[in-house]
Amino acid sequence: MTNQEIIAIAMQQSAADSNCSVDDFQSFENKVVISKNSDKARKYLTLPFSCDLTSYGNNIVASVTEELAEIVKAYINKYPIEHCFETPNLHILIEQLKPYDLNVCFMAEYFLPDLNFLRPLQCGYEIRVLNPEEFSGYYQKEWRNALSETRKQLDRLAVGAFDQGRLVGLAGASADCDTMWQIGIDVLPEYRRQRIASCLTSRLAQEILDRGIVPFYCCAWSNVKSARTAIKSGFRPSWVQLTVKSSELVIKMNQ
C-alpha cells in the first residue's frame, strides 16, 4: 500500500459518510450535498447529518439537510476554509443554527500513516499483539480509549505494553468501516512520557496495514498530547471534520 492509496481509501470512506463523490474532496470549490443514510458509512456515525463539514485542505464538503443547504452554502463560501472551523467566524454558523434547535458539537482532526515515517518504535517494555479473546478482560475504565465497552464487536486487534506481566499501555483497533480501523490509545498515568503510546500506536498501525486495512487516528484539535503521539508514531494530519447535533444532545453532554 502507498501513501496515495491510503489517502484515496480515506476519501472514499469520507464520500460514503457524506453522500458525495471522491472528486468533491479534490475540488478547489466548496461543495454542498444532501446527507443520506449509508450502510458503508463509519459505524459510529448517526446519519443523516444535520450539518457536517469535512475538509482535506482544498475545500469544504458540507453534508446537510435540505433546509440548511442555503445557510451552510453561504457560510462556507464567505470565509476562508480554515476559518470556517474556528471562532470567531464559527459563531455566525452557531447563531444561524439556533432556530433549528441545533448546535456545533464535535470538532476533530484526523491522521493517516505516512509510510515515509511509520517505523517500529521501542519503549523498553514487553510488547504483545492481542486478539479479541486475549484482551476480553481489559474492558475497564483504564482502557476506555483503546477499547469500547458499548461496541465490543468492533474491537478487532490490540497491542499491549507489559511491565513484568502487568498491562501498562494498550492500543486498540476498532473496525469502524470495512477499509479503515480507528486506533485508540491508553497508558497508565505513572507510565506516561516513556514513549509507550507512540510505540504501541506505530506497532498497531503496522499490524493493521499488514492486514490490508488503513489505520486512522483521531483527536480534538486542542488535545496536544494526543496529536504529538500521532506525529511521533508516523501519522500526519489528513482531514478535519465539524459535526452539528441537536441542542438537546449538546446540553446533555455538558451535564
Side-chain angles (χ1 to χ4, degrees):
M1 196 176 298
T2 66
N3 282 337
Q4 290 73 25
E5 289 170 333
I6 287 173
I7 193 70
I9 289 171
M11 286 187 177
Q12 288 169 4
Q13 185 57 52
S14 292
D17 298 340
S18 296
N19 189 40
C20 67
S21 71
V22 172
D23 290 342
D24 288 336
F25 294 108
Q26 298 171 332
S27 172
F28 288 92
E29 294 183 1
N30 293 327
K31 304 287 183 176
V32 177
V33 298
I34 304 303
S35 180
K36 293 183 180 180
N37 288 313
S38 171
D39 56 6
K40 295 182 180 180
R42 280 175 281 164
K43 293 178 175 59
Y44 59 83
L45 295 179
T46 302
L47 296 176
F49 291 123
S50 295
C51 173
D52 181 89
L53 308 182
T54 300
S55 178
Y56 279 81
N58 291 333
N59 69 344
I60 297 174
V61 174
S63 186
V64 301
T65 59
E66 291 186 5
E67 65 179 356
L68 293 179
E70 290 303 317
I71 291 173
V72 175
K73 180 180 179 180
Y75 172 73
I76 63 176
N77 286 331
K78 184 175 182 179
Y79 304 108
I81 296 168
E82 59 275 13
H83 294 328
C84 287
F85 291 85
E86 64 179 13
T87 57
N89 297 151
L90 194 54
H91 287 299
I92 299 297
L93 179 61
I94 291 171
E95 287 298 316
Q96 292 177 322
L97 292 173
K98 285 182 178 179
Y100 300 91
D101 199 27
L102 297 169
N103 205 342
V104 172
C105 187
F106 300 119
M107 302 166 65
E109 184 172 16
Y110 290 83
F111 300 76
L112 292 172
D114 185 332
L115 301 185
N116 296 314
F117 295 95
L118 181 69
R119 58 183 55 86
L121 300 175
Q122 304 299 321
C123 65
Y125 293 97
E126 179 191 1
I127 304 300
R128 301 180 196 168
V129 177
L130 307 171
N131 292 312
E133 63 273 13
E134 296 171 299
F135 58 71
S136 60
Y138 295 128
Y139 284 91
Q140 304 160 7
K141 64 179 181 179
E142 291 88 351
W143 316 116
R144 60 181 175 270
N145 291 314
L147 302 174
S148 175
E149 177 71 32
T150 59
R151 297 188 293 129
K152 290 182 179 180
Q153 73 280 7
L154 299 182
D155 292 335
R156 299 294 174 83
L157 190 67
V159 177
F162 293 82
D163 183 7
Q164 298 182 0
R166 180 194 181 196
L167 182 66
V168 299
L170 185 67
S174 174
D176 292 336
C177 45
D178 293 339
T179 59
M180 301 179 71
W181 290 1
Q182 182 170 192
I183 293 178
I185 178 72
D186 287 297
V187 177
L188 296 181
E190 62 269 32
Y191 284 86
R192 292 171 185 170
R193 297 195 174 188
Q194 298 184 51
R195 297 188 177 183
I196 294 175
S198 55
C199 171
L200 296 178
T201 300
S202 61
R203 176 62 183 275
L204 182 55
Q206 189 60 65
E207 292 287 339
I208 295 171
L209 285 166
D210 288 346
R211 289 160 172 78
I213 304 293
V214 172
F216 70 101
Y217 187 107
C218 173
C219 69
W221 297 330
S222 58
N223 194 339
V224 175
K225 291 187 293 184
S226 188
R228 284 176 176 168
T229 294
I231 297 296
K232 289 178 183 177
S233 303
F235 283 72
R236 296 294 181 265
S238 298
W239 80 95
V240 294
Q241 198 160 357
L242 180 152
T243 306
V244 167
K245 294 288 186 179
S246 69
S247 297
E248 180 182 4
L249 177 61
V250 173
I251 292 170
K252 184 178 179 180
M253 293 181 68
N254 282 326
Q255 291 176 346

